[in-house]
């Protein structure tokens, strides 16, 4: 009887712990990447926290990652919704590079999300303004100085990169024509949903911003921390940004709540954030409880 009870209790505990110990984790890949690019991170999570249900969303990979951002947001949201519904204590999301902006879109536009912690892994959260290989691939005839001519048109906005192109010298055009980032940031002239987006965003419990000066792709790299260039191409940090100061989408409120953590990590190039063991051990693992 006693032995039976102990076996029963041990089994019971094992089941309870494996069900409730760690919240499910959802991983979103970066631009041009296959879903398998997130396998290393998935392995790191399951090795550190055995039993964690880690889902890599295999959508809008490689060239499909150039689809318009809102379309991708809707697609990812559809796949994430049932995972969230089954996770009564909520889920964590780790979203890499462009994936971080998709996660912002999901968080702001989904009124019944239950994301506990959003870890943004070197994402251009305030947009991008820089010449990169990615840009050359998509717009071979444009440099950053004149990309606004195509990015801020209706056909330009059919390509993901243009949706978060943030030209500090053409802010009027950006605010008028960016159908994604300027809307998420409530920088457009009119945004009927801005209050709703803010409320949804504030349902997030913790925001973790990871980025660093040796990234080499996100430009300025401080965009990963909600900083960005002013019209003089001087970086203005998050707390000095108008969207923060006027709390346009809840960032200031969340920060005042004590729920925004920023990590500046040197020595990591863009393609290594989701594969680097020390980045995972020192800055990611502790949030995945
Ligand atoms: C992981 O989560 C998904 C989505 O909620 C679920 O369908 C699947 O059965 C889970 N896998 C395990 C091993 O629990
Ligand atoms: C622009 O940057 C230059 C060089 O750093 C500086 O001298 C100048 O004062 C800046 N102008 C403004 C308007 O901030
Ligand atoms: C969004 O911006 C408009 C001004 O452009 C402002 O009236 C509105 O309150 C803002 N929304 C939020 C949620 O701050
Ligand atoms: C891994 O990250 C650490 C910082 O945590 C950094 O010093 C190191 O250079 C990185 N290595 C690679 C290969 O990215």
């Amino acid at each position: 009887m006693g032995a039976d009870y102990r076996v029963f209790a041990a089994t019971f505990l094992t089941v309870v712990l494996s069900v409730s110990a760690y919240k499910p984790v959802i991983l979103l890949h970066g631009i041009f990447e296959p879903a398998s690019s997130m396998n290393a991170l998935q392995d790191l999570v399951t090795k550190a926290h055995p039993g964690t249900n880690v889902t890599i969303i295999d959508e809008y990979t490689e060239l499909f990652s150039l689809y318009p951002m809102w379309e991708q947001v809707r697609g990812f949201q559809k796949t994430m919704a049932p995972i969230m519904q089954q996770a009564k204590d909520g889920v964590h999301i780790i979203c890499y590079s462009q994936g971080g902006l998709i996660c912002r879109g999901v968080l702001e536009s989904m009124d019944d999300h239950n994301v506990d912690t959003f870890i943004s892994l070197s994402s251009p959260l305030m947009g991008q303004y820089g010449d990169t290989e990615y840009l050359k691939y998509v717009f071979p005839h444009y440099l950053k100085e004149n990309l606004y001519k195509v990015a801020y048109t209706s056909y330009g906005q059919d390509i993901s990169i243009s949706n978060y192109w943030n030209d500090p010298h053409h802010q009027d055009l950006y605010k008028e024509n960016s159908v994604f980032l300027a809307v998420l940031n409530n920088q457009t002239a009119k945004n009927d949903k801005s209050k709703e987006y803010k409320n949804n965003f504030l349902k997030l419990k913790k925001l973790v911003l990871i980025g660093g000066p040796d990234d080499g792709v996100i430009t300025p790299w401080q965009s990963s921390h909600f900083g960005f260039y002013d019209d003089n191409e001087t970086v203005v940090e998050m707390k000095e940004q108008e969207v923060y100061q006027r709390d346009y989408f809840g960032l200031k409120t969340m920060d005042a709540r004590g729920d925004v953590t920023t990590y500046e990590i040197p020595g990591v190039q863009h393609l290594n954030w989701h594969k680097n063991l020390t980045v995972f051990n020192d800055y990611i693992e502790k949030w995945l409880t």
Side-chain angles (χ1 to χ4, degrees):
M1 179 69 193
D4 279 355
Y5 175 75
R6 279 195 297 277
V7 170
F8 167 77
T11 311
F12 180 74
L13 269 179
T14 309
V15 169
V16 166
L17 288 178
S18 67
V19 167
S20 64
Y22 300 110
K23 295 181 178 66
V25 176
I26 302 173
L27 306 181
L28 264 79
H29 64 82
I31 193 167
F32 291 133
E33 295 221 293
S36 60
S37 63
M38 301 307 273
N39 288 352
L41 185 54
Q42 181 180 42
D43 287 348
L44 290 173
V45 176
T46 48
K47 277 204 189 91
H49 297 165
T52 308
N53 188 332
V54 187
T55 307
I56 299 174
I57 303 192
D58 187 3
E59 276 171 33
Y60 299 99
T61 53
E62 300 175 80
L63 282 178
F64 296 103
S65 64
L66 294 175
Y67 272 46
M69 292 294 277
W70 279 120
E71 184 177 334
Q72 296 195 52
V73 167
R74 282 191 293 274
F76 279 106
Q77 194 166 301
K78 222 168 149 184
T79 307
M80 289 161 90
I83 303 173
M84 292 180 188
Q85 275 153 20
Q86 292 198 9
K88 61 177 181 357
D89 296 325
V91 300
H92 300 307
I93 58 179
I94 307 178
C95 315
Y96 167 60
S97 195
Q98 178 178 282
L101 278 167
I102 290 168
C103 287
R104 273 194 71 189
V106 169
L107 291 168
E108 290 190 35
S109 65
M110 189 172 183
D111 55 18
D112 58 350
H113 79 74
N114 62 357
V115 178
D116 182 287
T117 301
F118 165 29
I119 299 177
S120 165
L121 206 47
S122 199
S123 271
L125 296 171
M126 274 294 276
Q128 170 79 6
Y129 182 69
D131 291 315
T132 61
E133 291 303 316
Y134 303 93
L135 199 63
K136 277 187 214 136
Y137 178 82
V138 183
F139 299 109
H141 307 298
Y142 290 87
L143 290 174
K144 65 174 184 178
E145 289 78 15
N146 54 24
L147 189 73
Y148 73 93
K149 291 177 188 165
V150 55
Y152 300 143
T153 60
S154 57
Y155 55 91
Q157 288 290 308
D158 282 341
I159 298 171
S160 66
I161 292 176
S162 306
N163 289 159
Y164 52 90
W165 187 251
N166 191 352
D167 186 329
H169 310 294
H170 295 94
Q171 286 290 288
D172 289 348
L173 287 174
Y174 158 76
K175 289 175 187 174
E176 233 169 84
N177 297 291
S178 166
V179 299
F180 184 72
L181 182 60
V183 176
L184 286 184
N185 279 351
N186 192 30
Q187 293 173 299
T188 52
K190 194 167 180 297
N191 178 1
D192 297 334
K193 293 190 168 159
S194 72
K195 298 230 155 51
E196 188 185 321
Y197 281 7
K198 184 174 176 174
N199 286 340
N200 294 340
F201 182 71
L202 284 170
K203 289 176 189 157
L204 179 65
K205 296 211 167 66
K206 302 274 181 204
L207 174 62
V208 179
L209 306 173
I210 297 179
D214 301 311
D215 181 88
V217 170
I218 304 303
T219 322
W221 69 265
Q222 291 91 339
S223 182
S224 60
H225 293 165
F226 281 107
F228 208 73
Y229 291 131
D230 64 9
D231 60 2
N232 206 13
E233 292 191 35
T234 302
V235 174
V236 176
E237 63 142 338
M238 173 176 84
K239 289 186 186 184
E240 305 303 322
Q241 292 288 332
E242 182 179 316
V243 295
Y244 177 93
Q245 294 188 335
R246 299 203 178 177
D247 206 21
Y248 271 168
F249 63 94
L251 188 58
K252 188 180 185 181
T253 300
M254 194 173 288
D255 194 26
R257 242 168 48 186
D259 293 333
V260 179
T261 302
T262 300
Y263 295 122
E264 176 180 336
I265 308 168
V268 187
Q269 292 178 345
H270 192 65
L271 291 174
N272 288 329
W273 289 104
H274 48 323
K275 296 168 185 157
N276 185 307
L277 184 62
T278 43
V279 170
F280 178 78
N281 286 343
D282 295 353
Y283 308 101
I284 298 179
E285 186 197 333
K286 62 184 145 197
W287 298 100
L288 305 179
T289 54

